[in-house]
Amino acid sequence: MGTAIAYQLSKGDATVTIYEKDDAPAGASVRNFGLVWISGRRGGEELRLALHSRENWKDVAGNVPEISLRESGSLTLLSSQSELNVAEEAIESDPANQRDLHLLTTDEVYDKYQLRLAKGVIAALECGLDAMVDPRKAVGAVLQYLTDRPNVDVRLSTQVTSIIDRSITTARGDREEFDVIIVTTGAAGVELISPYALPDDIGVSTTTLVMTSSYHTEQVISPAIADGDSLRYYPFFQPFAAKHLGEQDHLPKSHGAQLLARQLGDGTLIMGDSHYYDDPTRFKIDIEIASYFRDRLDGLLEAEIPRIEKVWLGTYARATDPIRPYVAHPVADGVLYVTGAGGMGMTISWAIADEVVSWINARP
Ligand SMILES: Cc1cc2nc3c(=O)[nH]c(=O)nc-3n(C[C@H](O)[C@H](O)[C@H](O)COP(=O)(O)OP(=O)(O)OC[C@H]3O[C@@H](n4cnc5c(N)ncnc54)[C@H](O)[C@@H]3O)c2cc1C
């Protein structure tokens, strides 16, 4: 989020300094799927931010092709009549079809994507607007681009230890003053703003996820793939899922899991994810849920799904008020705390960046 804000700010005549505590970004923005996920967004503010941000990603890709933006859509694979009912009612509920959703037969999926679906899959919900970037490279590539800009100073391996008034002190003891400070420390670093009283309803909490990636496969899977459980998770589908879907299977339910999968340019697959809410002590990964994602994908596609090679955890900060897509709170004069984009930070951060720039420009 901080990188996106810096990028948008640097287009004007501002002088921008980025502080990053690690040698290279390693937070939620690198540990995710890189999905720019329009399909499941709640109508209204959330969808507006997502569509706006998607346009910004395209603009960024023009300057930084290394982000590997792929506008190749997604397929949510439907394995029961109930899941199909959810998809049909969701499509009917949005006559303007703002998310570009379509139902495809299994033959249509093969004709369009050269993907054979397993026997149990009865149809697919296609979202033509879902897109992806390479999460391993995107933030680093944008930071590299900013490093080369004359009005941006990127300071890696520089931990901010305090923000008082409008000055920043780093772990090395350097202190510098700024006109405006935007604090985008993600799920970490809340202590930075702890000297300031936050209102009780600021509502930011954390979610930890298990993610996996596979060995390389020659099979090309161009769209992102989701399973029917994702309909329970994304707010646009949730009311219809609550009406039509029965109890979720025990294993995914006990881990708050759905299947999302996407292929990276090197042929490996990223598969996840499970959700553990407000559990900062969670550091152990259950093998059975890590293997579940690969097995679930294998059960939905007639394709070679390689073995899992890597497993990791990621944590994001989320706004606890479900209708608030993120939190932007002025903690002091000229100091704005921006966080809480939750599971949609890759999808909406570029729109948030524009809103933050407007906030800065509106200052007297
Ligand atoms: C596993 C996982 C999968 C996800 N998948 C998706 C997805 O596919 N699509 C989607 O839209 N969203 C996804 N999300 C959500 C998205 O990744 C996050 O919302 C987003 O990356 C949050 O960005 P951020 O900049 O707030 O936090 P971060 O990316 O964590 O960045 C915060 C940065 O601040 C730095 N920092 C912290 N404290 C200090 C300090 N004191 N001094 C200096 N630097 C500091 C950190 O080192 C870090 O680089 C996923 C999240 C996770 C965890």
Side-chain angles (χ1 to χ4, degrees):
M1 202 180 292
T3 305
I5 294 167
Y7 179 99
Q8 298 298 59
L9 260 181
S10 74
K11 288 180 183 168
D13 51 13
T15 308
V16 185
T17 304
I18 301 174
Y19 291 88
E20 167 53 56
K21 69 177 169 53
D22 294 326
D23 298 348
S29 306
V30 179
R31 296 173 185 223
N32 60 48
F33 295 95
L35 297 175
V36 182
W37 200 250
I38 308 294
S39 48
R41 296 279 77 94
R42 190 190 304 277
E45 187 63 358
E46 200 175 294
L47 181 60
R48 182 187 69 75
L49 290 170
L51 291 171
H52 174 150
S53 195
R54 189 183 187 283
E55 289 305 304
N56 286 1
W57 270 121
K58 289 204 267 186
D59 178 57
V60 177
N63 288 324
V64 193
E66 297 83 0
I67 67 172
S68 301
L69 176 66
R70 266 189 8 224
E71 298 180 74
S72 47
S74 74
L75 295 173
T76 300
L77 304 181
L78 308 170
S79 305
S80 67
Q81 184 59 45
S82 322
E83 290 178 357
L84 185 55
N85 292 343
V86 174
E88 282 172 347
E89 286 193 22
I91 291 175
E92 277 167 28
S93 76
D94 178 18
N97 200 8
Q98 299 169 87
R99 300 164 184 81
D100 194 20
L101 293 172
H102 306 275
L103 279 170
L104 301 185
T105 64
T106 53
D107 286 344
E108 286 168 336
V109 169
Y110 182 73
D111 291 344
K112 189 161 179 186
Y113 296 101
Q114 288 73 57
L115 279 178
R116 282 194 198 286
L117 304 181
K119 282 210 169 49
V121 180
I122 58 172
L125 175 65
E126 177 194 57
C127 174
L129 286 177
D130 281 342
M132 46 192 125
V133 295
D134 185 330
R136 311 262 165 82
K137 296 184 187 151
V139 183
V142 177
L143 273 182
Q144 184 55 53
Y145 170 82
L146 291 175
T147 303
D148 297 337
R149 288 187 69 100
N151 58 339
V152 184
D153 183 1
V154 180
R155 300 188 191 166
L156 299 177
S157 312
T158 309
Q159 178 162 9
V160 175
T161 49
S162 76
I163 298 170
I164 292 170
D165 298 328
R166 267 176 277 146
S167 76
I168 280 182
T169 305
T170 70
R172 290 192 207 101
D174 307 324
R175 187 165 174 274
E176 204 164 332
E177 290 198 8
F178 296 93
D179 294 329
V180 172
I181 297 173
I182 312 294
V183 185
T184 54
T185 43
V190 178
E191 67 276 9
L192 268 185
I193 51 146
S194 56
Y196 303 103
L198 288 176
D200 288 343
D201 68 349
I202 184 89
V204 182
S205 137
T206 61
T207 304
T208 297
L209 294 79
V210 170
M211 301 282 284
T212 68
S213 66
S214 74
Y215 287 95
H216 162 95
T217 172
E218 292 297 324
Q219 170 82 45
V220 176
I221 303 176
S222 59
I225 304 289
D227 73 351
D229 282 338
S230 69
L231 302 170
R232 304 170 190 271
Y233 177 79
Y234 287 106
F236 175 53
F237 300 113
Q238 265 172 354
F240 313 107
K243 181 172 156 196
H244 290 290
L245 301 187
E247 190 79 350
Q248 191 178 13
D249 287 349
H250 175 72
L251 178 64
K253 186 177 178 204
S254 61
H255 290 271
Q258 58 174 341
L259 173 74
L260 294 178
R262 58 111 1 137
Q263 191 165 38
L264 291 171
D266 63 4
T268 61
L269 299 164
I270 302 184
M271 295 168 284
D273 52 2
S274 51
H275 299 83
Y276 311 107
Y277 300 101
D278 298 323
D279 188 358
T281 58
R282 175 168 280 274
F283 64 94
K284 292 181 188 159
I285 297 173
D286 293 39
I287 296 299
E288 63 171 0
I289 193 67
S291 4
Y292 168 81
F293 301 124
R294 187 229 157 254
D295 296 346
R296 178 80 168 136
L297 185 62
D298 194 45
L300 293 171
L301 295 181
E302 291 287 334
E304 180 219 333
I305 308 298
R307 283 183 301 124
I308 298 290
E309 185 187 21
K310 295 191 172 83
V311 182
W312 67 96
L313 290 171
T315 302
Y316 57 66
R318 69 189 159 90
T320 47
D321 179 348
I323 57 164
R324 207 173 181 179
Y326 70 102
V327 168
H329 183 70
V331 289
D333 181 34
V335 182
L336 187 70
Y337 180 46
V338 186
T339 189
M344 53 183 170
M346 294 301 272
T347 304
I348 66 169
S349 282
W350 288 93
I352 295 174
D354 281 342
E355 298 197 347
V356 171
V357 171
S358 299
W359 179 86
I360 293 171
N361 290 338
R363 278 174 50 76

